[in-house]
Amino acid sequence: MSEFDNVTAPPPAPTGAAPADQRTMALVAHILGIFTWFIGPLIIWMINKDDSSKSFVTDQAKEALNFQITITIAMLISFVLMIVIIGGLLAPLVGILNLVFCIIAAVKANNGEAYRYPFTLRLIK
């Protein structure tokens, strides 16, 4: 295994059952991504990152934040590509993918399962 493979692999999910309040906050972090892009997950991650008892919330907020950063980059690329028309097709597709994956992640987080988004740049570690 090369060093590059380690960098791109998603981090392992926290183990153990998450309490109901942590599952709710994780659900909120994923849902806020739909409406506030990266601002909502960023706030939830910043509030909970130093509390070791809230590892599930921290992990899921960080995952939502990384996904929303990826979506923001994809939207910026789509807007640039609107010059050659293909961006007009990509921007709605990125928006629909954001909506679908955020809803899936919110449902999984509410069930206490740690969700990993596909195609995510994991910039926040």
Side-chain angles (χ1 to χ4, degrees):
M1 181 187 298
S2 71
E3 185 177 323
F4 182 72
D5 291 335
N6 271 345
V7 174
T8 59
T15 58
D21 62 334
Q22 289 189 31
R23 291 184 307 194
T24 304
M25 284 302 291
L27 172 126
V28 169
H30 290 294
I31 293 295
L32 279 176
I34 296 171
F35 302 106
T36 64
W37 281 8
F38 64 89
I39 302 298
L42 176 65
I43 291 170
I44 291 175
W45 178 66
M46 293 293 288
I47 289 171
N48 295 299
K49 73 177 182 173
D50 295 327
D51 191 354
S52 62
S53 66
K54 295 186 177 182
S55 63
F56 184 73
V57 176
T58 302
D59 175 67
Q60 290 302 291
K62 187 177 3 174
E63 188 69 16
L65 176 60
N66 282 327
F67 183 67
Q68 293 306 320
I69 291 170
T70 304
I71 290 294
T72 302
I73 292 169
M75 281 298 216
L76 289 173
I77 291 170
S78 295
F79 288 134
V80 169
L81 288 176
M82 282 187 183
I83 295 170
V84 291
I85 300 177
I86 194 160
L89 301 173
L90 286 177
L93 180 65
V94 170
I96 290 169
L97 288 175
N98 184 27
L99 179 68
V100 169
F101 283 130
C102 285
I103 290 172
I104 291 170
V107 169
K108 295 278 188 176
N110 196 35
N111 291 336
E113 301 173 40
Y115 183 75
R116 296 287 178 246
Y117 289 98
F119 314 114
T120 300
L121 300 172
R122 289 181 172 81
L123 302 173
I124 309 296
K125 303 232 183 243

